[in-house]
Amino acid sequence: MLGVCYYPEHWPESMWQQDAQEMKALGLTYVRLAEFAWSKIEPQPLQYNFTWLDKAIDTLAQEGLKIVLCTPTATPPKWLIDKFPDILPVDIHTGQVRGFGSRRHYDFSSENYHRESMRISEVMAKRYAKHPAVVGWQTDNEIACHDTAHSGSENAKKAFQTWLKNKYANIDALNSAWGTIFWSMEYQSFEQIELPILAVTETHPSHQLAYRRFSSDQVLKYHDDMVAVLRKFCPNHFVTHNFIPMVDTQTDNFALANKLDFACYDNYPLGRTDLFFANTDTENFSRYMRTGHPDFSSCSFDHIRGISKGDFWIMEQQPGPVNWGHHNPRPLPGMVRFWSWEAVAHGAATICYFRWRQAAFAQEQMHAGIKRVDNSKSIAWYEAEQFRDELAKTGFDLSAKVKSQVAIIMSTENQWVTEVERQGDSFNQQRVEFEYYSALRQLGIDVDFISSSNDFSKYKLVVAPCLPIVDEDFVTRCKASNAHFIFGPRSGSKTHELTLVPNLAPGLLQALIKVKVSSVETLREDCSEALMFNSQTYVSNRWREELIECEGVDIVARYHDEQAAVVANKQATYIASLTDIAFLKALFVQYAEQLAINTYELPADLRVSIRGNFGVIFNYADKAQVFSSTNHIEFVLGDGNVPAYGVSVFKLV
Ligand code: GAL
């Protein structure tokens, strides 16, 4: 099932029909429209112009295409900003108003914007509720992207004070929960509490965490209200949203997806590889600059599958160079087809390419499309065609589920803790989680991302790379489960209020594994030390904890000075250091054997993913590589000698 993001408002009406015919010829099913079209839909207050959108929808519908409409709220028009200037958010680093002239220039705490957003959503929902070609809605666009969850406005401050009042009820409770006696920060009333921004030096961590929780709640409230409007007037349409990773939105994506039918992901492998690696890991970056990192997109697909109630979609798929990385390489020939296979192998139901035709003007004129500005077909067109045909030829089952025996626990709240209290520059929570994920994927293990409140019964192994805040309920559910749990450093070390746990880390997790962290040190990444495991030497670096009072555990790995670095009992393992991927792989091989989890011996840069009865092999290397499996398999596309940057598909028989 394929689709495309289309902007009829950017092109003369005379082109629309041919566009629709070509979309049909390409085998597309869905067309997403209107997420940035507010100024065209409502050029003046309450004067609506739907003629163009009606016509565009009808033109597409005549070719049998189905429409996903968007609420256009990511781009409030100029007249609306002039009418209600408090829509504009305030930059938390400078205290300056963030101006009009790009997108996402709105403050989630502006009541004026909330009301206006619900109004335009209602007007659109009512208008298209009965249109037979309109099948679903996308809310807004990449909500909270461009650092917009946080605003330093007066509206945000007042809303924050109300949020705190609702949470703590009286000011003494807040003073005591946070520990405001430190540095004379005690408050006499909620009205005295400012946002934790623009202070002389670091602000109170509990205050910062509360502000992040509040800001995420503001996004949720706005979004949930919009979903409710769409559901009220369009009860038969699906409602979805195009997500980007939580690390970029500072919002609880699990909660955000909760009210939706399914979640979508916007997949830009090269842009994201560039942002992630550019300044840190030059060697890996240049290797993958035209393919994306072998685990990077799949990690996001597995995230999105974890938050999505139904099968997820790719709402935007990179078709060529983008315009927003530090640098914007051209994907190698074949990558658009390759990434499309990767998405379906990880559970995608539908892939929409971004965008139909490259824009000739404005901010994204250097961003590729399926078609070029002169209306010729770009390479992405042919690769989408190839993917479409291969999908049909292989009979790949898009209704099948990915079934993982291993899960990684992810949580926005814990990400916030590590951002608020970094302790060492080289600690990067996103990277830590990614290293665990990549180690598992290099062994061909399929991985689910789950929240700490998930059911663990499906899993043999549950990994929490970094989980500072845990509660009693979590520990009880771990104890009741048959899974083995692996906890990385920092786990269980903090209370809900971001204070130290009273009984030393890993706090409540001591009920699962009896061990205490007596002290923590963080180190420069280039000051690695040895980590000894099974007579082999690996690396300990960045974050290192000293363990004491280890009872009833085996010492699995030791630091260079012989002290315990990794300890385990039957139910849980505690890893007290950050390490290298080689160590994590070696550890996972051992655990997979013990827990009877299937692994593959994969050469570097080869990956395999299983969905239902189909397996897909991805070769990220510049030479052909051989895939071998002890399972009975039958190739339906390519074979076990996977070409450079190639894909092979097999069936389990
Ligand atoms: C996405 C965004 C699109 C477009 C695209 C360019 O993040 O949703 O509107 O800007 O990036 O790559």
Side-chain angles (χ1 to χ4, degrees):
M1 297 283 257
L2 303 180
V4 75
C5 305
Y6 182 46
Y7 301 90
E9 68 273 27
H10 297 179
W11 301 98
E13 226 179 280
S14 55
M15 294 178 81
W16 296 356
Q17 193 176 2
Q18 193 197 337
D19 284 343
Q21 286 163 350
E22 287 186 332
M23 288 176 196
K24 187 180 174 197
L26 185 55
L28 305 187
T29 306
Y30 296 104
V31 185
R32 186 193 69 174
L33 298 176
E35 79 277 22
F36 302 124
W38 196 337
S39 70
K40 179 111 178 159
I41 289 168
E42 192 184 9
Q44 298 198 47
L46 304 180
Q47 289 187 15
Y48 300 106
N49 169 14
F50 282 111
T51 326
W52 70 275
L53 189 53
D54 291 350
K55 177 130 199 240
I57 293 175
D58 289 343
T59 308
L60 295 161
Q62 266 162 25
E63 298 302 325
L65 294 153
K66 295 179 185 167
I67 308 302
V68 181
L69 275 180
C70 305
T71 56
T73 45
T75 45
K78 185 69 167 81
W79 61 258
L80 188 64
I81 301 295
D82 290 345
K83 202 165 166 199
F84 303 112
D86 79 341
I87 291 176
L88 293 175
V90 171
D91 188 309
I92 57 168
H93 304 294
T94 62
Q96 301 289 316
V97 171
R98 300 177 78 180
F100 179 87
S102 62
R103 63 178 171 182
R104 301 220 54 78
H105 40 280
Y106 70 83
D107 186 333
F108 286 96
S109 295
S110 161
E111 285 176 14
N112 284 323
Y113 196 58
H114 186 282
R115 186 191 61 245
E116 292 296 308
S117 297
M118 301 314 138
R119 176 182 62 77
I120 192 72
S121 301
E122 177 172 334
V123 168
M124 286 188 73
K126 279 180 174 160
R127 182 158 191 105
Y128 294 107
K130 300 258 158 47
H131 197 297
V134 176
V135 291
W137 290 89
Q138 173 190 298
T139 50
D140 201 277
N141 187 76
E142 295 186 345
I143 206 157
C145 176
H146 306 313
D147 294 326
T148 50
H150 299 155
S151 172
S153 65
E154 272 303 299
N155 284 332
K157 186 170 92 180
K158 291 217 170 66
F160 182 48
Q161 291 167 347
T162 307
W163 184 92
L164 289 170
K165 214 179 277 180
N166 289 338
K167 186 168 158 89
Y168 295 95
N170 75 69
I171 196 70
D172 291 340
L174 178 145
N175 281 320
S176 126
W178 289 7
T180 52
I181 181 67
F182 194 80
W183 289 355
S184 250
M185 288 177 284
E186 288 173 291
Y187 298 106
Q188 284 77 43
S189 74
F190 287 101
E191 289 69 34
Q192 290 176 315
I193 304 181
E194 309 273 344
L195 299 176
I197 59 172
L198 302 173
V200 172
T201 181
E202 63 181 300
T203 51
H204 195 300
S206 308
H207 190 175
Q208 287 190 52
L209 183 59
Y211 177 56
R212 286 176 192 239
R213 286 186 173 125
F214 152 79
S215 301
S216 174
D217 282 357
Q218 293 294 90
V219 177
L220 292 177
K221 185 172 167 349
Y222 173 86
H223 184 258
D224 287 356
D225 288 350
M226 186 177 285
V227 174
V229 169
L230 296 171
R231 296 239 184 259
K232 179 168 170 199
F233 298 103
C234 298
N236 300 321
H237 292 168
F238 64 73
V239 182
T240 186
H241 178 71
N242 57 336
F243 287 80
I244 56 171
M246 292 203 260
V247 68
D248 293 325
T249 62
Q250 294 291 326
T251 302
D252 181 350
N253 277 354
F254 278 107
L256 198 67
N258 198 24
K259 299 270 192 312
L260 299 171
D261 294 292
F262 57 88
C264 298
Y265 179 65
D266 290 350
N267 188 39
Y268 293 95
L270 301 197
R272 293 221 158 268
T273 295
D274 175 82
L275 297 187
F276 190 66
F277 285 104
N279 300 322
T280 55
D281 188 345
T282 342
E283 189 202 325
N284 272 323
F285 177 68
S286 57
R287 222 160 116 207
Y288 300 127
M289 68 182 178
R290 295 202 178 89
T291 59
H293 185 280
D295 300 312
F296 213 69
S297 291
S298 68
C299 184
S300 297
F301 300 152
D302 293 345
H303 273 174
I304 213 77
R305 197 177 67 244
I307 66 166
S308 187
K309 285 190 191 148
D311 293 340
F312 71 92
W313 284 26
I314 301 301
M315 191 57 102
E316 300 181 11
Q317 170 59 56
Q318 175 169 356
V322 300
N323 62 302
W324 46 265
H326 297 292
H327 296 89
N328 297 294
R330 194 169 31 232
L332 285 177
M335 287 318 293
V336 174
R337 166 242 185 189
F338 185 106
W339 294 325
S340 304
W341 267 114
E342 202 172 33
V344 295
H346 284 261
T350 294
I351 299 173
C352 300
Y353 297 95
F354 181 95
R355 48 188 284 155
W356 176 247
R357 194 165 29 241
Q358 182 164 0
F361 46 79
Q363 281 92 328
E364 293 183 352
Q365 54 187 275
M366 297 301 286
H367 191 296
I370 288 186
K371 303 198 79 188
R372 304 191 189 95
V373 274
D374 68 349
N375 216 15
S376 57
K377 295 168 181 167
S378 79
I379 184 169
W381 170 289
Y382 299 102
E383 295 193 20
E385 232 172 18
Q386 183 185 354
F387 171 62
R388 172 200 73 194
D389 293 344
E390 289 174 346
L391 210 52
K393 175 176 165 256
T394 56
F396 191 87
D397 182 3
L398 287 171
S399 67
K401 306 283 170 213
V402 175
K403 294 208 175 88
S404 313
Q405 296 177 315
V406 177
I408 291 181
I409 298 180
M410 65 170 174
S411 125
T412 325
E413 187 155 82
N414 284 295
Q415 175 199 314
W416 293 334
V417 170
T418 64
E419 289 169 352
V420 169
E421 193 185 62
R422 197 155 179 165
Q423 185 65 9
D425 280 357
S426 54
F427 192 99
N428 174 335
Q429 197 269 348
Q430 190 194 9
R431 188 177 145 199
V432 170
E433 183 184 287
F434 181 72
E435 286 166 347
Y436 276 78
Y437 175 80
S438 185
L440 289 161
R441 292 294 303 136
Q442 290 178 35
L443 299 169
I445 296 177
D446 292 310
V447 178
D448 281 353
F449 281 96
I450 59 172
S451 94
S452 57
S453 57
N454 251 81
D455 173 18
F456 303 130
S457 61
K458 294 199 277 186
Y459 302 108
K460 291 183 172 174
L461 182 64
V462 177
V463 185
C466 175
L467 197 63
I469 299 178
V470 297
D471 59 18
E472 294 277 5
D473 172 64
F474 171 75
V475 177
T476 310
R477 286 181 301 104
C478 292
K479 273 177 141 177
S481 133
N482 289 324
H484 187 87
F485 290 83
I486 297 183
F487 296 103
R490 305 185 82 148
S491 294
S493 61
K494 298 289 168 173
T495 66
H496 176 80
E497 296 293 357
L498 217 177
T499 63
L500 289 170
V501 289
N503 58 340
L504 300 188
L508 296 173
L509 299 177
Q510 289 174 31
L512 297 170
I513 180 154
K514 272 207 178 311
V515 56
K516 284 186 179 171
V517 175
S518 56
S519 106
V520 170
E521 64 175 343
T522 58
L523 302 167
R524 282 172 55 126
E525 186 165 9
D526 53 6
C527 296
S528 296
E529 289 168 322
L531 181 79
M532 308 303 298
F533 170 58
N534 284 346
S535 314
Q536 300 287 320
T537 306
Y538 299 92
V539 160
S540 155
N541 63 18
R542 295 169 282 166
W543 184 284
R544 178 182 157 157
E545 296 171 353
E546 183 180 54
L547 298 179
I548 55 166
E549 297 179 32
C550 307
E551 283 174 35
V553 295
D554 294 329
I555 297 181
V556 176
R558 293 180 187 271
Y559 293 117
H560 68 286
D561 55 10
E562 292 297 311
Q563 290 193 19
V566 179
V567 294
N569 62 22
K570 193 159 183 309
Q571 182 155 40
T573 298
Y574 189 80
I575 304 181
S577 175
L578 293 184
T579 64
D580 53 357
I581 293 188
F583 166 74
L584 294 174
K585 260 179 85 176
L587 187 80
F588 287 138
V589 166
Q590 183 169 309
Y591 279 49
E593 258 168 43
Q594 286 163 7
L595 299 165
I597 296 166
N598 196 28
T599 58
Y600 295 85
E601 271 193 35
L602 297 171
D605 292 336
L606 206 68
R607 295 291 185 275
V608 60
S609 304
I610 309 290
R611 178 176 179 187
N613 285 331
F614 285 86
V616 190
I617 312 161
F618 301 95
N619 186 7
Y620 273 87
D622 59 0
K623 56 178 190 308
Q625 299 204 93
V626 176
F627 171 80
S628 51
S629 164
T630 49
N631 296 319
H632 294 293
I633 60 173
E634 195 175 88
F635 280 94
V636 290
L637 184 72
D639 54 36
N641 190 23
V642 192
Y645 311 116
V647 174
S648 292
V649 183
F650 61 83
K651 258 178 139 170
L652 295 164
V653 286

